[in-house]
Amino acid sequence: AAASPSACHMAANVSNIYTPISNLLVTPRSALFGNIWSVSSQVLTPHRNAEEQGTIGVTIRQLQRILCERTEELRVLRQIIEAVNSTLDLQAVLQRIIDLVSQVTSSDACLLYLLDESGQRLGLRASQPAHPESIGRISLQVGEGLTGWVAKERRAMVIGRQAFADPRFKAFQQLPEDRYEAFLSVPITARDRLIGVINVQHREPHRYSPDTVALVETIGRLVGGAIENARFHEAAQQRRRELDTLAQVSEAVVSERYLDEILQLTVTVT
């Protein structure tokens, strides 16, 4: 017997549903895309009424949004890796990191602090927007202020509003970001060692999603080794310059001594 018009219509709808889903689910399964699969398992069940068809449309849009977000996160992480591996210039590495973090979080400000050689103080080394008058001049003890707390505890801090009202907050007169509402801070680490802290800030109250926090935390772990390598390179370059200067001074001293001896010999001979 011929299929009824309603049955044909339902089959066509189901076919239309499966096609975009099969196009979406082409990425290999991984932890990064785990929540996509839990949603898709619900979508791939035939539905029989208009209300459920509408629900499928919403779910498909959710899948598309999740895929777009994950794709953007992967793009940023790839750019971070390329940036930190493209140069050993420490300042260039730091600036590229905060530029990308600012971009992915849509933040109004991003600050990066590095732990000094003593392991006791954090110094501001890069910022977006730029604060050239404060770079290298603002520092705080580990455990001091919000940034120092993150360094001491080595875990993220998330404050959606009135960060300046937190009892751990410490103001720096030079930084306009002290008046910003929202604050996200994560440690930078390498092989379980603290390297520094990244701060993300928004002028207005802002909700930092768990995905955003996780992404910035991943960046903090990802760039720690590269920053450490760049610092070693910078120290080696500084040591080389010092040795070159010492060699030039020694050469000048020796040359001057020989000149004095020649002049003395000339006086004696004459």
Side-chain angles (χ1 to χ4, degrees):
S4 67
S6 60
C8 293
H9 180 68
M10 182 180 71
N13 285 339
V14 171
S15 175
N16 290 336
I17 292 168
Y18 277 109
T19 301
I21 291 298
S22 63
N23 291 337
L24 284 172
L25 304 180
V26 295
T27 306
R29 299 190 182 194
S30 66
L32 185 61
F33 291 86
N35 53 348
I36 294 177
W37 303 105
S38 63
V39 176
S40 65
S41 63
Q42 302 171 22
V43 176
L44 295 177
T45 302
H47 296 271
R48 297 179 179 275
N49 57 55
E51 181 179 352
E52 290 176 331
Q53 294 290 358
T55 301
I56 288 178
V58 173
T59 307
I60 290 174
R61 288 193 292 273
Q62 291 174 341
L63 282 170
Q64 292 172 330
R65 177 182 58 79
I66 294 170
L67 282 170
C68 288
E69 290 174 354
R70 295 299 180 267
T71 300
E72 174 65 10
E73 291 172 4
L74 288 173
R75 184 187 67 79
V76 170
L77 292 176
R78 184 178 66 250
Q79 286 185 317
I80 288 283
I81 293 171
E82 291 174 352
V84 298
N85 289 327
S86 64
T87 179
L88 285 173
D89 183 305
L90 178 60
Q91 200 56 42
V93 169
L94 300 180
Q95 193 62 48
R96 186 57 176 154
I97 290 169
I98 63 170
D99 286 345
L100 288 171
V101 172
S102 295
Q103 176 185 332
V104 74
T105 59
S106 301
S107 63
D108 294 313
C110 184
L111 308 178
L112 193 153
Y113 292 80
L114 290 185
L115 191 67
D116 67 7
E117 293 182 358
S118 72
Q120 299 300 315
R121 297 194 68 82
L122 294 158
L124 180 64
R125 293 296 302 269
S127 65
Q128 175 61 38
H131 297 304
E133 71 285 353
S134 299
I135 299 299
R137 297 182 180 180
I138 289 181
S139 67
L140 63 156
Q141 285 284 126
V142 171
E144 181 182 13
L146 302 180
T147 302
W149 183 92
V150 171
K152 181 181 179 181
E153 299 296 327
R154 299 193 187 185
R155 57 191 177 98
M157 174 184 288
V158 183
I159 303 176
R161 61 173 60 244
Q162 294 187 340
F164 45 78
D166 189 282
R168 295 163 294 187
F169 177 80
K170 177 180 178 179
F172 293 94
Q173 297 301 322
Q174 305 98 314
L175 294 177
E177 289 83 3
D178 285 344
R179 297 186 294 273
Y180 288 7
E181 285 270 348
F183 181 85
L184 165 63
S185 183
V186 303
I188 302 171
T189 57
R191 295 185 291 275
D192 295 326
R193 293 197 309 276
L194 180 69
I195 303 298
V197 175
I198 298 175
N199 292 345
V200 174
Q201 295 175 263
H202 286 80
R203 289 187 180 88
E204 303 299 328
H206 182 84
R207 178 185 177 273
Y208 297 103
S209 70
D211 286 344
T212 296
V213 175
L215 176 60
V216 180
E217 285 181 313
T218 299
I219 292 172
R221 292 189 295 268
L222 187 65
V223 303
I227 292 175
E228 196 172 48
N229 290 338
R231 295 184 82 171
F232 287 150
H233 177 74
E234 183 181 69
Q237 291 293 97
Q238 177 62 28
R239 180 60 177 164
R240 180 178 178 179
R241 288 191 293 269
E242 292 172 356
L243 291 174
D244 287 344
T245 301
L246 182 60
Q248 292 173 3
V249 170
S250 299
E251 183 178 349
V253 169
V254 170
S255 299
E256 183 177 349
R257 186 187 66 187
Y258 285 151
L259 178 59
D260 289 341
E261 291 179 357
I262 293 172
L263 289 176
Q264 184 63 40
L265 179 59
T266 302
V267 170
T268 303
V269 171
T270 56

